[in-house]
Amino acid sequence: MISIEPVAAPGAPLARRNPVAKVAAALVFSFTLLATLDPVAPAIAIAIELAVLPLFGVRYRVLARRALPLLLSAAGILVTLVLFAADRSGRVLLDAGPVLVTTGVLRTALGLVLRVLAVALPGVIVFATTDPTDLADALIQNAKAPARFAIGALAAFRLVPLLGQEWQMISMARRARGVDAGRNPAAKLRLFVSTAFALLVGAIRRGTRLAVAMDARGFDAGTPRTTARRQPFTRADALLIATATALAAATLTTSILLGTFRPLIS
């Protein structure tokens, strides 16, 4: 089942920080890495992210479980680029018929995979240490986001675990009716597409009902809303954002000094 509940230790120093500060620090640290194509800068960024993970109160095994879809996607990107990349420059490392792996291909693929991981991991860490309700409250109070957007996003976020349950229910219902793909890959693909379509239709219907229910309860009212849970933004939260900015700048500076910096726009 899909889980969105925070998994951080309650006393972790960075897990207690304001949700908006954590999101801002993750965005600053991540999007700075988009300026370069080399593998050194994202590799340093990943090392920093894993080094500060205990400060968020998240175990490495738990992070690996949460980031499993990300790791599978990164592996798929690596294999795809190695097999089908157009640039075959550099020294030949493997020549096995149609499979030709060179240092240029490997450098490009490794750089992209590391950049994907370095950009996405901060988001995984933030959402693994943040309660969705606290995030919505902080967006309204600290980021001055519209209450309609923040509460709607919270409602949608709360419905995410239901998608896994719905998928299981649809699959079990079809299996009970004798709809099974067996070992046929084409039949499995058709069954997957039809199940995904049924899940999409159910999600749209549930979202429509939820929107109508929220409107009926005054969530779309134009009057100012009060907040029951205060989310203070302290100096420690500002320090977290400043530290993330400094680490991102240090990462790019190290790449430049090592001579590996490859700007995205040259």
Side-chain angles (χ1 to χ4, degrees), residues 19-259:
V20 168
K22 289 190 286 186
V23 171
L27 290 176
V28 169
F29 189 77
S30 299
F31 283 99
T32 307
L33 300 173
L34 299 178
T36 179
L37 297 174
D38 71 288
V40 174
I44 297 175
I46 292 174
I48 294 174
E49 293 161 6
L50 295 179
V52 301
L53 189 62
L55 298 178
F56 283 94
V58 180
R59 297 182 178 181
Y60 292 102
R61 183 180 301 175
V62 175
L63 178 65
R65 274 202 310 269
R66 283 289 181 101
L68 182 59
L70 176 63
L71 297 176
L72 294 177
S73 301
I77 293 173
L78 179 63
V79 173
T80 301
L81 287 178
V82 168
L83 294 179
F84 303 108
D87 181 19
R88 299 291 171 176
S89 60
R91 185 167 55 89
V92 176
L93 299 177
L94 176 64
D95 187 359
V99 179
L100 179 62
V101 180
T102 64
T103 54
V105 171
L106 199 58
R107 188 184 305 113
T108 301
L110 189 61
L112 181 58
V113 168
L114 290 177
R115 194 159 70 253
V116 168
L117 292 176
V119 168
L121 273 181
V124 176
I125 295 173
V126 167
F127 284 103
T129 60
T130 304
D131 184 81
T133 304
D134 292 339
L135 177 58
D137 290 338
L139 287 174
I140 296 173
Q141 298 174 37
N142 306 124
K144 305 304 178 183
R148 180 180 182 182
F149 165 77
I151 297 176
L154 172 62
F157 205 55
R158 288 294 187 186
L159 291 178
V160 170
L162 296 179
L163 295 178
Q165 298 177 7
E166 188 88 6
W167 183 279
Q168 293 179 356
M169 290 176 58
I170 295 174
S171 301
M172 293 173 63
R174 293 189 171 186
R175 193 175 299 116
R177 292 195 298 266
V179 181
D180 193 2
R183 297 184 178 181
N184 189 338
K188 285 185 177 181
L189 180 60
R190 288 195 301 269
L191 186 60
F192 175 84
V193 172
S194 62
T195 305
F197 182 75
L199 183 66
L200 175 62
V201 172
I204 293 175
R205 290 177 177 173
R206 186 181 293 109
T208 303
R209 290 195 299 267
L210 179 61
V212 173
M214 292 178 67
D215 285 344
R217 287 167 174 80
F219 282 97
D220 195 24
T223 57
R225 301 184 62 87
T226 59
T227 53
R229 297 168 295 271
R230 301 300 302 171
Q231 296 291 334
F233 194 93
T234 63
R235 293 182 179 179
D237 299 315
L239 180 61
L240 174 62
I241 299 175
T243 303
T245 304
L247 289 175
T251 300
L252 291 182
T253 302
T254 303
S255 176
I256 294 173
L257 293 178
L258 293 177

